[in-house]
Amino acid sequence: MPDASTLSGAADKASLDVAIVGGGLAGLYAIYRLRGMGLRVRAFEAGSGIGGTWFWNRYPGARCDVESLEYSYSFSEDLQQAWKWPERYGTQPEILRYINHVADRFDLRRHVQLNTRVKSALFDADANEWTLRTDKGDVVRARFCVMAAGNLSTPRVPDFKGLQDFRGKWYHSGLWPHEGVDFSGLRVGVIGTGSSGIQMIPIIARQAKHLHVFQRTANFSLPARNAPMEPERERRHKAEYAARRRAAHDTPFAIAGHPKPTRSALEVAPDERKAAYEAKWQEGGSISFLYAYTDLLVNKDANDTASEFVREKIRSIVKDPRTAELLAPKDHPIGTKRLCLDTEYYETYNRDNVTLVDVRSDPIRDITPSGLRTEGGAAFELDAIVFATGFDAMTGALREIDIRTSAGASLADHWAGGPLTYLGLMVAGFPNMFIVTGPGSPGVKTQMIASIEQHTDWIANCLDHMRRQGLDRVEATPEAEADWVQHVNAVADSTLYPLANSWYLGANIPGKPRVFMPYVGGFDRYKRRCDAVVADGYEGFRLTRQAALVA
Ligand code: NAP
């Protein structure tokens, strides 16, 4: 039988029960949960501090677009009662402070090895063990790996010619200098108008001498209506915190408190519909808006009513009609790309020192020593360039690690045509390697921390089951993986999501296979499926004992 308290059966110092890749919200919860089972764990984190996304994305205005009372861990009632969020939406510094508080409160920090990037992971089938190698020369053996490396953690700067000769300074939203950047008096160019660009543009505009925004695709954004936390709202929420967290598990986005829609947008009279959208617009927040009617994400005609409402808002806010028309998205239905939340984004284009440049009709050709130039020959003189150009999402972080098995499989090859997983939790042919909120999971389409907790609890329960049964290997079967991938695609195809060229589809990375990666069937449906798989004896997984290996 395996050692009663560990799963590795070995006791030397280089050997762990579980090696965790990443020291963000997922990695920290994995430490908490798995250490709590008496397992020997260590997390490897490339950053010089914990926090993942919230450690790296320090650009001006970085803020969560899920309300802070929701976007927080639920595993400790004491923690959720004690922590005070000062605003409706948490800023990056607040969220990072919260994460550091959690690490100290639960003594997690000593299990994280900072400044260490995992470069490779090799599964030796005979030894039934993973060997991880890091950029610091560590060689770490572990029975299990938990990949908690993040979905939006591989920043991407487009391959523009001439960047190395640019005389000014340049930045990427996801690699922001810790000391901050003062744009006062500078001519600044921001490239990209996704969530990151839309949050930073109003703030940079207030500092810069002039701001040019280079927009390739207009994005829908709704007002966040951020505000100081109302004490009464906090009190009511906290009084029913546990029940709210449970209720969130029965919703598609893992967020409670939004009444489930009951009617199609096409069932109601135009005036009534407009009034409903207006109420949501005034309330702020994206879930509430997309939850106005049952069919906004599945029926194009229904969606058109909501898309047009927001386009009309943009036209009413932005004074210059040409700029307004450029800002009004027409190439994708609202909600099929991540719906942005902003504070005075559209209003910013009414400032004299802000110019919107359409790089769809006239793309950026190259970066010059003094700015940038378009294909059409227009030249822009810039002192600083900010790339808000996004990430190699969902697969980037894992593909940067050379993941192989002694049977000759490599994750890069297995995923050459797009990511394949079973439940987003495991990859067939890669035993004892779990993924937290990876492709095939609903994670990025939900309140992320709820998904992190649900995935990690599932993994912990699986390991606990194996330990009690004397088992030491778990793997997804190829059939279960194929069925799940087909299901993920079928669900996506029954919605409007594939109509947008989004990072959900890998469309932002030239050459990346165009495969819809998140599971959009909803957190509630996904969790029920995960629970049913366990109830059916881990259906689709093979759990075995490599008896000869176990002392
Ligand atoms: P993003 O949504 O992928 O946006 C990248 C932007 O850069 C797009 O406008 C894209 O245009 C543009 N771009 C890329 N390459 C370009 C090129 N060669 N020339 C011109 N424009 C180019 O990235 P993001 O804004 O960093 O957001 C990523 C995700 O992170 C979000 O969807 C969200 O899930 C998360 N996030 C959340 C928050 C929050 O909680 N509030 C904040 C920031 C980020 P195209 O659309 O034409 O490709």
Side-chain angles (χ1 to χ4, degrees):
M1 291 289 287
D3 183 298
S5 61
T6 75
L7 281 153
S8 64
D12 59 300
K13 268 178 71 186
S15 171
L16 300 168
D17 292 314
V18 188
I20 299 164
V21 180
L25 285 157
L28 292 172
Y29 183 60
I31 294 173
Y32 172 82
R33 195 64 175 75
L34 300 174
R35 185 193 60 184
M37 293 166 58
L39 300 177
R40 286 173 303 154
V41 299
R42 197 186 313 153
F44 299 89
E45 166 54 53
S48 61
I50 57 170
T53 283
W54 300 107
F55 175 84
W56 295 103
N57 286 266
R58 296 169 187 246
Y59 60 83
R63 191 187 278 282
C64 190
D65 57 8
V66 174
E67 295 192 40
S68 43
L69 284 164
E70 300 283 349
Y71 189 83
S72 48
Y73 288 118
S74 72
F75 68 83
S76 160
E77 178 66 7
D78 285 350
L79 169 68
Q80 63 186 8
Q81 290 297 335
W83 188 263
K84 283 191 83 63
W85 293 102
E87 293 177 86
R88 181 175 178 187
Y89 298 94
T91 60
Q92 174 273 329
E94 275 160 33
I95 298 171
L96 190 58
R97 200 159 58 81
Y98 168 77
I99 295 170
N100 277 279
H101 169 82
V102 172
D104 290 334
R105 189 179 183 115
F106 297 98
D107 188 24
L108 307 177
R109 217 178 271 284
R110 65 193 165 90
H111 301 287
V112 186
Q113 184 172 322
L114 296 173
N115 299 303
T116 307
R117 191 175 283 280
V118 173
K119 300 296 286 180
S120 68
L122 174 70
F123 182 73
D124 180 336
D126 292 337
N128 196 36
E129 182 175 79
W130 283 94
T131 300
L132 279 67
R133 291 172 198 274
T134 75
D135 63 351
K136 293 291 178 294
D138 306 283
V139 180
V140 183
R141 291 186 289 120
R143 177 71 82 220
F144 296 92
C145 272
V146 171
M147 298 298 186
N151 287 293
L152 294 156
S153 49
T154 312
R156 184 180 165 271
V157 175
D159 199 10
F160 289 127
K161 278 202 304 268
L163 183 56
Q164 69 285 356
D165 299 324
F166 179 55
R167 284 198 299 265
K169 294 220 164 112
W170 65 267
Y171 310 91
H172 186 284
S173 60
L175 294 168
W176 205 260
H178 286 203
E179 62 280 14
V181 181
D182 182 5
F183 291 107
S184 303
L186 300 183
R187 298 164 302 173
V188 183
V190 171
I191 303 176
T193 50
S195 300
S196 305
I198 281 176
Q199 285 188 329
M200 69 172 74
I201 283 164
I203 295 173
I204 296 179
R206 291 202 287 269
Q207 285 182 8
K209 183 171 166 201
H210 198 95
L211 172 63
H212 281 96
V213 176
F214 298 93
Q215 172 187 278
R216 188 165 66 184
T217 311
N219 245 317
F220 286 102
S221 186
L222 304 177
R225 310 256 181 240
N226 186 45
M229 182 66 70
E230 294 163 32
E232 180 49 24
R233 185 171 182 187
E234 179 183 9
R235 193 198 60 71
R236 266 189 285 118
H237 199 107
K238 286 189 169 177
E240 49 192 40
Y241 230 144
R244 288 185 74 108
R245 299 287 198 189
R246 276 195 303 278
H249 283 184
D250 292 322
T251 68
F253 303 109
I255 297 176
H258 298 288
K260 204 171 172 173
T262 53
R263 287 189 300 171
S264 158
L266 304 175
E267 267 177 57
V268 291
D271 281 355
E272 187 189 339
R273 197 168 53 212
K274 196 167 170 202
Y277 291 144
E278 181 64 34
K280 305 279 185 190
W281 176 272
Q282 294 306 332
E283 179 188 338
S286 55
I287 305 290
S288 155
F289 192 89
L290 293 175
Y291 235 32
Y293 295 105
T294 52
D295 48 358
L296 294 185
L297 292 171
V298 292
N299 180 322
K300 177 77 168 53
D301 291 338
N303 185 290
D304 283 346
T305 64
S307 294
E308 189 54 22
F309 173 85
V310 176
R311 283 192 287 265
E312 278 300 311
K313 282 288 183 193
I314 298 168
R315 291 174 187 124
S316 72
I317 297 168
V318 179
K319 293 190 180 130
D320 173 45
R322 189 181 157 271
T323 305
E325 226 34 63
L326 277 175
L327 287 167
K330 295 168 199 93
D331 75 323
H332 66 281
I334 190 167
T336 54
K337 283 186 165 189
R338 175 75 169 210
L339 185 49
C340 304
L341 291 191
D342 72 87
T343 300
E344 298 188 351
Y345 174 64
Y346 295 115
E347 289 83 347
T348 296
Y349 292 92
N350 293 332
R351 295 177 65 101
D352 292 339
N353 71 332
V354 176
T355 308
L356 182 67
V357 183
D358 173 18
V359 293
R360 166 74 60 199
S361 61
D362 185 11
I364 297 169
R365 184 172 95 186
D366 56 7
I367 309 289
T368 63
S370 60
L372 69 75
R373 200 164 35 185
T374 65
E375 296 285 358
F380 298 87
E381 298 288 303
L382 303 169
D383 303 308
I385 300 177
V386 179
F387 293 97
T389 45
F391 301 85
D392 184 354
M394 302 204 71
T395 53
L398 289 193
R399 289 181 63 108
E400 281 195 343
I401 305 172
D402 185 14
I403 301 175
R404 293 175 186 272
T405 73
S406 58
S410 96
L411 190 73
D413 290 346
H414 191 67
W415 282 7
L420 307 171
T421 69
Y422 179 35
L423 295 171
L425 287 167
M426 292 200 94
V427 182
F430 295 80
N432 291 0
M433 181 185 87
F434 296 99
I435 307 174
V436 183
T437 69
S441 135
V444 296
K445 295 299 305 159
T446 68
Q447 194 278 86
M448 198 66 179
I449 304 180
S451 284
I452 284 170
E453 290 183 326
Q454 184 271 341
H455 286 52
T456 309
D457 289 345
W458 192 96
I459 294 166
N461 292 338
C462 176
L463 295 186
D464 187 48
H465 168 79
M466 291 174 69
R467 185 163 61 174
R468 282 186 284 107
Q469 300 294 318
L471 306 172
D472 55 11
R473 184 181 290 184
V474 51
E475 52 197 313
T477 66
E479 298 76 25
E481 181 181 85
D483 286 352
W484 182 250
V485 169
Q486 196 183 27
H487 175 62
V488 169
N489 282 308
V491 173
D493 287 341
S494 69
T495 70
L496 302 176
Y497 282 105
L499 297 183
N501 283 320
S502 63
W503 58 258
Y504 301 142
L505 262 174
N508 63 325
I509 304 290
K512 191 164 170 170
R514 219 184 142 89
V515 174
F516 198 85
M517 295 183 282
Y519 176 61
V520 289
F523 178 94
D524 44 355
R525 199 165 149 197
Y526 173 80
K527 183 175 183 305
R528 282 198 300 273
R529 178 71 187 267
C530 288
D531 293 346
V533 161
V534 174
D536 287 344
Y538 287 91
E539 185 201 359
F541 292 98
R542 231 181 347 250
L543 279 70
T544 53
R545 180 178 173 202
Q546 306 297 303
L549 302 166
V550 178

